[in-house]
Amino acid sequence: MADSTEQRASSRRVGALAALWPFIRPYRGMVVLAGLALILTASVSLVLPLAVRRVVDGFGDSAALLDKYFGAALLIAALLAAGTGLRYYFVTRLGERVVADIRRALFDRVLGMSPAFFEKILTGEVLSRITTDTTLILSVIGSSVSVALRNVLMLLGGLVLLGLTSAKLTGLVLLIVPAVVVPIVVLGRRLRNLSRENQDWIASSSGKAAEALQAVQTVQSFTHEIGTRRDFADVTEKSFLSAQTRIRTRAVMTVIVIFLVFAGVVGVLWMGARDVRAGVMSAGQLVQFVIYAVMVAGSVGALSEIWGELQRAAGATERLVEML
């Protein structure tokens, strides 16, 4: 197991997901529709704080004008709901279709392998690749990639609109970025290695279980139940310990990133509140800046979590490509 992990260490990268493109290419139209829905939801989300600013600063205006502000906010909410529903439909459908094609291609490929192939790999491990690894890929295509792209758009758009709202406060926000990126890069590498190791142990556990159950009459005839149980328990425990280390690392990374982001936002808002008292900016501008700051902080936090999922899916993709 360790040797296998070391041999493939150099290829552990999210870029391995590019190998899925041949399966996605036939459904380019669906990808375009999902992308348009994604852009719509991100754009509407970024416009919403502008409407909130108008409402806050417009309390002194006429009632008719205030009603228009609230009507515009309601329209934006309707567009956001429709766009989110369309994005979910197209992205989820695409994920299910692509994974179904991958499973079929993998089964067709394995079924034509020579007997020597099955002497070197357990049948249970092959089944694990078809089920567990493809499930990971489904979670990425059907959810994680879409959420990641949306958060990237929200992050970039939020930073631009933050700068237009208050260049001074935005400059302070940008000082937080290096402090957030460093933990993601450092801990992300370790998380990628642990994710691949964990998947290897899971596949090994599934392989041992399948082989023992397929030959259960032989195991029982030689009264080897105790030894077989011990071997399976040993592999399963190692799988759990590997997963425990991965979970701990990801939890630490999430805590560090979210704390740094929101601690920085609190400091920036403190300075913004002082600017409002000094008359440098209006209350509506501060509220708008707060919403954009929360969006940016939430996007960074979400990306830190999605990064781990993408790394696990990249490892699963590498294993499937090896078999294809």
Side-chain angles (χ1 to χ4, degrees):
M1 184 69 64
D3 293 341
S4 175
T5 302
E6 291 174 1
Q7 290 172 359
R8 292 177 291 192
S10 60
S11 62
R12 293 176 187 148
R13 53 189 177 84
V14 174
L17 293 173
L20 298 176
W21 177 244
F23 294 95
I24 300 175
R25 187 187 299 116
Y27 311 106
R28 292 189 295 270
M30 203 178 301
V31 173
V32 171
L33 292 174
L36 292 175
L38 177 66
I39 294 173
L40 173 63
T41 55
S43 300
V44 171
S45 298
L46 292 172
V47 170
L48 188 58
L50 297 175
V52 174
R53 172 185 171 181
R54 291 289 185 181
V55 171
V56 173
D57 287 339
F59 277 120
D61 297 335
S62 65
L65 188 58
L66 196 59
D67 290 343
K68 289 182 180 180
Y69 289 152
F70 276 101
L74 186 61
L75 177 61
I76 291 173
L79 288 174
L80 179 61
T84 302
L86 289 173
R87 176 175 62 88
Y88 171 80
Y89 173 77
F90 288 120
V91 170
T92 305
R93 182 180 174 184
L94 174 65
E96 293 286 355
R97 180 66 268 173
V98 169
V99 168
D101 291 346
I102 292 175
R103 284 174 174 162
R104 186 173 62 184
L106 183 61
F107 181 79
D108 292 346
R109 173 65 173 169
V110 171
L111 199 62
M113 289 290 191
S114 65
F117 171 79
F118 294 96
E119 293 293 332
K120 293 186 269 186
I121 187 171
L122 298 176
T123 303
E125 184 173 351
V126 176
L127 294 175
S128 177
R129 302 307 184 202
I130 296 176
T131 56
T132 305
D133 287 354
T134 53
T135 299
L136 283 175
I137 294 173
L138 174 61
S139 69
V140 168
I141 299 177
S143 176
S144 298
V145 169
S146 172
V147 175
L149 291 176
R150 181 178 182 275
N151 279 287
V152 168
L153 291 176
M154 296 286 289
L155 176 60
L156 298 178
L159 288 174
V160 171
L161 292 171
L162 278 176
L164 296 176
T165 305
S166 175
K168 170 189 171 183
L169 297 181
T170 304
L172 296 176
V173 170
L174 292 177
L175 292 177
I176 305 171
V177 174
V180 176
V181 171
V182 170
I184 292 178
V185 173
V186 175
L187 294 178
R189 291 175 180 173
R190 175 169 172 75
L191 184 62
R192 184 167 63 247
N193 296 340
L194 292 173
S195 297
R196 184 60 182 267
E197 179 184 343
N198 182 223
Q199 289 303 309
D200 284 341
W201 282 117
I202 291 175
S204 178
S205 175
S206 299
K208 284 186 175 296
E211 293 301 312
L213 293 176
Q214 288 174 359
V216 65
Q217 294 89 349
T218 304
V219 172
Q220 292 176 347
S221 63
F222 284 92
T223 63
H224 200 265
E225 294 94 330
I226 295 177
T228 301
R229 288 169 181 159
R230 184 175 58 250
D231 291 342
F232 180 75
D234 181 59
V235 174
T236 302
E237 186 65 20
K238 289 179 179 177
S239 173
F240 167 74
L241 294 176
S242 176
Q244 182 175 256
T245 304
R246 173 181 56 79
I247 293 170
R248 187 187 305 116
T249 302
R250 182 171 176 178
V252 169
M253 183 176 71
T254 302
V255 169
I256 293 174
V257 171
I258 292 179
F259 174 76
L260 290 175
V261 168
F262 283 96
V265 169
V266 170
V268 170
L269 294 183
W270 172 68
M271 298 194 66
R274 295 176 65 89
D275 285 345
V276 171
R277 290 182 59 86
V280 177
M281 64 189 305
S282 68
Q285 283 179 303
L286 179 59
V287 171
Q288 177 181 319
F289 188 89
V290 168
I291 297 175
Y292 282 133
V294 171
M295 284 184 176
V296 170
S299 297
V300 173
L303 288 172
S304 68
E305 294 182 5
I306 294 171
W307 185 252
E309 296 179 10
L310 293 177
Q311 289 171 329
R312 294 183 65 193
T317 302
E318 289 178 352
R319 290 188 293 273
L320 293 178
V321 169
E322 290 173 358
M323 297 184 69
L324 289 171

